[in-house]
Amino acid sequence: MKAIPTWKQRKLQDVLTVNSGSDYKHLETGEIPVYGTGGYMLSVNDNLSKSDSIGIGRKGTIDKPQYLKAPFWTVDTLFFMTPFKNFDINFLFALSQKINWKRMDQSTGVPSLSKVVIEKTMEYFPSLGEQQSIGFLFRQFDKAIILHQEKLSKLQSLKKAALQSLFPQKDETEPKVRFANFKSKWSQRQLGETLIERNIQQTQSIEYPLVSFTVQDGVTPKTERYNRQQLVRGSKKDKKYKVTEFNDIVYNPANLKFGAIARNKYGKAV
C-alpha cells in the first residue's frame, strides 16, 4: 500500500520571501495599483513586484491578509510575501487567514509585525498537489464572496436611489417617481401622529429574552453564552430592560447619525 505523504512543519522563511513596501509619492499616475493595509489606494506607473503575493500589515492593521495580483506596489506599512517554487499561493493565502497575527504583536502602541516574527512562524504544509487542491477550494470561496459582495453593493446603491426617488426630498411635496395607480397628493404630518412610543420595562424571562441592538446587525438575539454568564453573575438578573415587540422600529437616539435604527424582525424581547 502506497504511503500517504505527511504534512511537514516548516518556518515561513522556508516557503516564502517577506518583502518590504516603499513610498510611492515620487511615482507618476499610471495603471499599477498601490495597496496599503486598508486595501487599494491609487494607481502609479511602476511596480514593486511582478509576482502574485500576499499582503500583510507591518503596522496598524496586521490581521487582514490581502491577495495581491501582480504587478503591484505596496506602501511601507504593508509587507508582501512571495512564495517559493513548489508552494501554492492560494494555499498560503488561506493559511495566512488562519494564522493569529495579533498574537504576534510585540508593540505597546500601534499593532506591529516584523519580518523576523513572520519568518520564524511555524506552520504545517502538505505536498504541492494537496496544497493546490486546498488552495483551489478556498479560491472558489473567495470568488463567490466577492461576487456576493458586489451584488450587495449594487443592491445597496439601488435602494439608496429608490429612497431618493420614492420619497419627497427637501422643499418637495411629492416624490419624483410615483406608481402609476397612485395619484393622490402626499400630506405632511408629524411623526407623533403616525408612531406610538413604547416605554415599558420588563425583566429578562422566557417570554421576554434579551436581544442585542447594533448598527451592523440591527436587533438580534443574545447568545446562550451571554445568558448563562449573566445568570451566573447574578448582578443583572433582576435588571429591567425596555420592551420591544415584533415590527417595532428600534433606535438609539445617541447614535442616530450613525444609522442606529432598525426594525425588530425577531419578536417580543427586552
Side-chain angles (χ1 to χ4, degrees):
M1 181 182 237
K2 187 176 180 181
I4 300 175
T6 58
W7 287 50
K8 294 182 180 179
Q9 194 175 35
R10 302 173 185 270
K11 293 179 180 179
L12 289 187
Q13 66 183 14
D14 297 327
V15 304
L16 53 78
T17 302
V18 182
N19 308 279
S20 297
S22 181
D23 186 19
Y24 63 88
K25 293 177 182 176
H26 62 287
L27 302 173
E28 298 178 2
T29 301
E31 298 181 351
I32 308 297
V34 176
Y35 296 98
T37 55
Y40 172 79
M41 297 173 61
L42 71 165
S43 295
V44 294
N45 65 338
D46 200 0
N47 68 82
L48 279 181
S49 178
K50 294 182 180 180
S51 299
D52 287 6
S53 302
I54 301 163
I56 187 72
R58 179 184 69 83
K59 189 176 288 292
T61 305
I62 63 174
D63 62 334
K64 302 292 183 183
Q66 305 174 49
Y67 189 103
L68 304 178
K69 189 74 176 174
F72 62 84
W73 190 284
T74 67
V75 299
D76 61 1
T77 56
L78 186 69
F79 291 128
F80 61 96
M81 305 182 293
T82 307
F84 296 153
K85 187 178 180 181
N86 293 328
F87 291 95
D88 182 72
I89 188 169
N90 291 316
F91 173 84
L92 286 168
F93 182 51
L95 177 65
S96 70
Q97 295 172 76
K98 182 189 77 70
I99 296 172
N100 185 356
W101 297 107
K102 284 187 175 180
R103 179 176 55 82
M104 304 177 196
D105 175 23
Q106 297 178 329
S107 69
T108 56
V110 178
S112 302
L113 283 177
S114 69
K115 279 188 179 183
V116 173
V117 168
I118 296 173
E119 291 170 344
K120 300 300 181 185
T121 299
M122 299 285 289
E123 293 293 337
Y124 283 94
F125 293 84
S127 66
L128 177 59
E130 190 169 357
Q131 288 180 44
Q132 291 170 334
S133 295
I134 294 171
F136 176 79
L137 173 64
F138 280 98
R139 194 62 178 159
Q140 301 316 302
F141 281 141
D142 288 338
K143 287 180 179 179
I145 290 169
I146 291 171
L147 179 62
H148 285 289
Q149 286 175 334
E150 291 175 349
K151 289 181 179 178
L152 175 61
S153 179
K154 289 178 181 178
L155 283 172
Q156 289 172 331
S157 296
L158 182 61
K159 179 181 177 180
K160 184 176 180 180
L163 286 170
Q164 297 294 319
S165 301
L166 293 170
F167 286 92
Q169 302 305 305
K170 186 177 180 181
D171 299 326
E172 294 179 346
T173 58
E174 293 184 6
K176 296 182 179 68
V177 178
R178 301 287 303 271
F179 288 96
N181 53 328
F182 294 103
K183 302 295 184 181
S184 59
K185 292 184 177 295
W186 286 47
S187 58
Q188 190 175 41
R189 298 174 183 270
Q190 294 181 340
L191 286 180
E193 299 177 63
T194 62
L195 300 172
I196 299 174
E197 183 178 8
R198 179 180 289 109
N199 194 18
I200 302 172
Q201 293 187 329
Q202 170 76 36
T203 57
Q204 179 188 359
S205 65
I206 295 176
E207 184 182 5
Y208 289 90
L210 277 175
V211 292
S212 296
F213 175 49
T214 65
V215 173
Q216 293 79 13
D217 302 319
V219 178
T220 56
K222 284 284 190 183
T223 64
E224 291 183 5
R225 176 175 178 272
Y226 178 92
N227 290 332
R228 284 199 301 272
Q229 286 182 337
Q230 189 169 2
L231 291 174
V232 169
R233 289 171 184 161
S235 60
K236 296 184 179 180
K237 185 177 179 180
D238 299 321
K239 180 179 178 180
K240 290 188 175 183
Y241 302 86
K242 288 192 175 182
V243 172
T244 174
E245 297 188 2
F246 183 69
N247 274 338
D248 278 352
I249 298 174
V250 183
Y251 69 96
N252 182 342
N255 289 320
L256 271 177
K257 65 179 180 181
F258 300 113
I261 184 168
R263 180 166 65 91
N264 178 5
K265 302 176 185 178
Y266 173 62
K268 185 182 291 186
V270 294

